[in-house]
Amino acid sequence: MSRLIAILVGLFLLLVAVAIVVPMLIPMDTYKTRIAETVKGQTGRDIRIDGDIGLSFFPNIAVSIEDVGFANASWATEREMAAMKEMRATLKLMPLFRGAVEIDSFELVDPVIRLEVRRDGTPNWQFETAGAAPAAPAPEGGEPSGGMAAREVSLGDISIRNGSASYINAQTGARYAAEEVNVNLALPGLDQPFVADGSLAWNGDTIEVDLKADRPRAFTEGGETPVALTISAPRLKASYGGTLKALDGLAFAGDVDLAVPSVRDLAAWAGSPMPKGEGFGPLAIKGKASGSGDTYRFSDAQIGFDGMNATGALSLRTGGTRPYVKGDLAVDRIDVNAYLADEGAASTGSSGGDAGDPGWSADPIDLQGLKAIDADFAFSTGQILFRQIEIGESALNLKLAGGVLTATLDKLDLYEGSGSGALTLNGSGATPKLNARFKLAGVAAEPLLTEATGFSRLQGGTALTFSVATAGRSQRDMVAALGGNGEVRFTDGKIKGINLAQLTRTVLSAATSGWQSGGTQDTDFSELGGTFTIDKGVLSNNDLKLLSPLIRVSGAGTANILQKTLNYRVEPKLAASLEGQGGATDVKGIEVPILVTGPWSKPRFAPDLKSMIQNRENIEETIKSIKEDKGKGLIDSLMGKQPASGDGTDAAPEGGEAEPEAKPSPEDALKQLFGR
């Protein structure tokens, strides 16, 4: 027995001696030659080994190799596809006898990897002569043939020191480069947590990554393992805590927290700069995330984007021509202005207005940013901002496809009124296009017109329907091409800054012109409205109607939106009638046509005296109707007095007799009426 033990010990010592001595007896050049021949036969490319090769088998299997380079494709930019200064690896020997793989250490020093795609789509990692041998069929029972399957894997000190990697795609123009890659890995066992941490420099920023997987064995066997991942960089911070599963790629489900100070800066940093603009700033996402393949979902989401905050659910698909986003969100506000190109100051030669009005901008409008993604969103929001217009609580469906943005407003609260409509911005071609249709009711005219057009001289409730369309490469081009039609009605309001009745009376005493011709008072009305058409930026109206006590107004003319000028004829008529809304428009009266011309920011009002003189019959009939009752009813209304009682006597104040009052003569009444 002792002899047998001695023999076994001797054999063991002999094997140890062979493992130590044999590598020393075999010249290193032999290893280099065999390695080079094998690589050449498999890839068709050369490998150089300019440094030493170290090999030992006891007490551990240890390999070291220095100064290695692997040739690149003949068409590639760089001579070598991969290179490294040194590789050192140590594999524990004894655990192999029980089917376990324990890597004691593995270190790459200064590794360099260069990936490149040729213009025709050929990658440099596609080898010319390498042909994949057909896989041998697995034996019955599903176990692979040959060799002993490792039942345990253990990673000791695994590291990459000062690595670099680059990627160039001649088809797309994409270029990426990572420097200073430093990675540490640890896997004590498949049933113990796998931990990885590292950093790299990309486009001048350092990215730090920390990863922990609790049950590596479950992941390798098709199950799922709890995972915690953190990515930190100056332009991006993200964390994930959930599960990870290998299923036709990767599947995950867990909590996500993403913070991006500026999406625009992130895109530029990543090599895909966005068109100029103010939008796509801060982005923050928190919620439950899940995904597999190219589809990702967020539920219970809390999203902050460009200063807007939303809650709800959304999904993202990345596998198409463009990313596709779909969601159902409740948003505190939607600021459309953030995504309109900055038009800047109007360029020299822009048209319109007066000396103090710069006119419409001729700077190019760029809607190419609409091509970045496709989207389908259902929004409910408390506020929508478009230019200077502020829209209240609204329900909005937003679709973006191929650079065409369609916003459908099912509910619209706008300046004390409500409405619905749709807006389409088409950025799919070289020339931006716009279509809009809206229907509004009960809207306060003054704030809407002030913020939409800069016109602030009209008050009243508004009912409006319109449909417009245009196309152009600048704001000025769009205004010049604007076309459409609509109808507008204002009720119970006033025209600020001009008293048409006073203007008419003044005309009869002295012909004057200019804005001050109407005085500094207002014209109250019960109804004002008409229909309009727009052709090439010129708005035309021929059925304007204004109803007010003592005055009727009709009108027709044009407003050149491009030039911001008016050419309009207003026909106010002093009528011997106190009827307002619903009253007749064809009553007899003193008609004094007024021509409204000039810039709409400061229009000029001038009487059409020639037309007034040709209409003497109405003047005579109106004066006659006033004389018949000696002007009493008209004068009482003008003076603010109560109408006469039904029995033909004036109503007396309660508790006493009415005081006698002087009754003006018809001549005095006319003088007061016409400002004499």
Side-chain angles (χ1 to χ4, degrees):
M1 186 66 173
S2 59
R3 183 178 178 80
L4 178 60
I5 294 175
I7 293 173
L8 292 175
V9 171
L11 289 174
F12 177 75
L13 293 175
L14 180 60
L15 290 173
V16 170
V18 170
I20 296 174
V21 174
V22 169
M24 299 175 61
L25 297 177
I26 300 177
M28 288 299 103
D29 287 343
T30 302
Y31 289 111
K32 293 181 180 180
T33 302
R34 294 297 301 272
I35 293 173
E37 291 175 351
T38 302
V39 171
K40 182 76 172 181
Q42 292 294 319
T43 67
R45 299 184 192 175
D46 295 326
I47 187 172
R48 66 170 179 83
I49 304 175
D50 294 339
D52 295 333
I53 295 178
L55 178 64
S56 65
F57 294 96
F58 191 84
N60 295 316
I61 300 175
V63 178
S64 66
I65 187 169
E66 297 176 352
D67 198 3
V68 179
F70 178 63
N72 213 335
S74 59
W75 49 264
T77 305
E78 298 290 339
R79 185 173 63 87
E80 293 185 333
M81 178 180 173
M84 62 181 174
K85 182 178 180 180
E86 185 179 4
M87 182 201 75
R88 295 189 294 266
T90 303
L91 176 66
K92 292 183 179 180
L93 178 61
M94 299 308 295
L96 291 175
F97 292 103
R98 64 174 190 271
V101 176
E102 295 187 14
I103 299 176
D104 187 55
S105 66
F106 182 89
E107 183 176 14
L108 292 178
V109 179
D110 295 341
V112 177
I113 298 176
R114 304 181 182 99
L115 303 180
E116 189 171 352
V117 177
R118 194 164 56 179
R119 191 175 296 276
D120 63 2
T122 304
N124 67 339
W125 57 89
Q126 178 176 306
F127 304 122
E128 297 175 1
T129 61
E140 294 184 7
E143 293 294 332
S145 62
M148 178 178 61
R151 295 186 295 271
E152 297 292 337
V153 175
S154 174
L155 303 180
D157 182 13
I158 311 297
S159 63
I160 297 175
R161 295 285 177 263
N162 195 35
S164 64
S166 63
Y167 173 79
I168 301 174
N169 191 321
Q171 275 191 323
T172 63
R175 284 178 168 267
Y176 305 104
E179 304 290 341
E180 301 176 21
V181 179
N182 294 282
V183 179
N184 295 302
L185 309 177
L187 177 63
L190 291 178
D191 295 314
Q192 295 176 276
F194 167 74
V195 178
D197 65 81
S199 64
L200 60 88
W202 189 17
N203 288 347
D205 285 347
T206 299
I207 305 173
E208 297 180 351
V209 179
D210 289 289
L211 173 65
K212 179 182 179 182
D214 288 353
R215 296 194 300 270
R217 186 186 299 280
F219 185 76
T220 61
E221 294 176 352
E224 64 181 26
T225 177
V227 170
L229 172 66
T230 301
I231 300 174
S232 180
R235 292 174 172 82
L236 171 70
K237 294 185 185 300
S239 65
Y240 170 77
T243 60
L244 188 65
K245 182 178 182 179
L247 178 64
D248 297 329
L250 294 177
F252 65 91
D255 296 325
V256 168
D257 190 341
L258 171 68
V260 178
S262 171
V263 174
R264 187 174 295 278
D265 288 348
L266 178 64
W269 175 65
S272 302
M274 301 172 63
K276 292 182 179 179
E278 296 297 326
F280 300 98
L283 169 65
I285 299 177
K286 292 183 179 180
K288 298 185 179 301
S290 62
S292 61
D294 61 1
T295 302
Y296 309 90
R297 300 176 182 85
F298 290 93
S299 58
D300 299 331
Q302 300 178 33
I303 303 172
F305 189 47
D306 276 336
M308 297 171 279
N309 299 293
T311 58
L314 58 87
S315 61
L316 169 66
R317 188 175 68 240
T318 60
T321 305
R322 288 174 295 275
Y324 173 74
V325 184
K326 184 175 183 179
D328 188 349
L329 299 173
V331 191
D332 58 350
R333 68 186 184 96
I334 299 174
D335 189 353
V336 180
N337 297 327
Y339 309 104
L340 299 178
D342 183 12
E343 294 162 3
S347 58
T348 303
S350 59
S351 304
D354 54 23
D357 188 343
W360 305 104
S361 172
D363 293 340
I365 293 176
D366 188 356
L367 299 181
Q368 295 302 304
L370 296 178
K371 295 181 179 180
I373 62 171
D374 290 343
D376 186 354
F377 278 100
F379 288 105
S380 60
T381 181
Q383 184 184 46
I384 300 176
L385 303 176
F386 179 73
R387 298 300 186 190
Q388 284 74 41
I389 300 175
E390 296 185 12
I391 302 171
E393 186 176 353
S394 305
L396 170 68
N397 182 263
L398 185 67
K399 291 187 177 181
L400 179 58
V404 180
L405 172 67
T406 302
T408 303
L409 292 163
D410 299 318
K411 176 185 177 183
L412 181 68
D413 288 346
L414 181 65
Y415 300 108
E416 303 177 22
S418 61
S420 60
L423 172 70
T424 300
L425 291 174
N426 189 333
S428 61
T431 302
K433 299 178 182 179
L434 180 147
N435 287 271
R437 56 176 178 81
F438 285 89
K439 183 176 182 180
L440 309 173
V443 177
E446 184 176 24
L448 174 62
L449 294 177
T450 299
E451 295 179 0
T453 67
F455 185 79
S456 59
R457 298 186 181 275
L458 188 61
Q459 290 182 348
T462 307
L464 171 66
T465 60
F466 71 87
S467 176
V468 295
T470 188
R473 297 189 178 185
S474 69
Q475 188 185 69
R476 188 171 65 183
D477 290 346
M478 280 197 165
V479 173
L482 186 65
N485 58 73
E487 179 179 5
V488 60
R489 301 289 175 190
F490 303 96
T491 57
D492 300 325
K494 66 175 63 176
I495 302 174
K496 298 171 61 179
I498 179 171
N499 187 321
L500 291 176
Q502 179 184 349
L503 177 63
T504 306
R505 295 196 299 269
T506 304
V507 167
L508 298 177
S509 60
T512 59
S513 62
W515 180 260
Q516 294 302 321
S517 300
T520 58
Q521 300 178 7
D522 304 327
T523 298
D524 295 328
F525 62 82
S526 54
E527 182 179 339
L528 168 63
T531 60
F532 63 87
T533 60
I534 304 175
D535 182 33
K536 296 180 180 179
V538 178
L539 183 148
S540 301
N541 160 258
N542 57 15
D543 61 354
L544 175 70
K545 178 178 68 173
L546 181 147
L547 300 179
S548 178
L550 306 178
I551 193 169
R552 300 288 186 269
V553 178
S554 60
T558 61
N560 190 316
I561 304 174
L562 178 63
Q563 301 295 334
K564 297 186 179 180
T565 58
L566 296 168
N567 185 12
Y568 207 79
R569 176 186 172 90
V570 181
E571 297 181 351
K573 183 184 297 184
L574 280 176
S577 171
L578 298 177
E579 290 183 297
Q581 190 170 3
T585 59
D586 58 351
V587 297
K588 299 292 184 179
I590 302 173
E591 185 174 305
V592 185
I594 298 172
L595 302 178
V596 186
T597 59
W600 64 26
S601 60
K602 193 177 181 181
R604 296 184 297 273
F605 292 81
D608 187 352
L609 295 177
K610 180 179 178 180
S611 176
M612 180 190 71
I613 294 172
Q614 292 174 348
N615 195 23
R616 289 178 297 177
E617 289 185 5
N618 278 346
I619 297 176
E620 292 171 357
E621 290 185 15
T622 301
I623 295 175
K624 180 180 177 181
S625 67
I626 294 174
K627 285 183 176 180
E628 287 178 353
D629 67 348
K630 298 183 179 181
K632 180 175 178 17
L634 182 59
I635 294 169
D636 285 348
S637 176
L638 289 172
M639 301 300 182
K641 294 182 179 180
Q642 297 292 328
S645 61
D647 58 2
T649 62
D650 290 343
E654 186 176 346
E657 296 181 357
E659 295 183 4
E661 59 183 71
K663 296 182 178 180
S665 66
E667 291 79 4
D668 293 336
L670 289 173
K671 286 181 180 180
Q672 183 170 347
L673 177 63
F674 299 131
R676 300 287 181 94

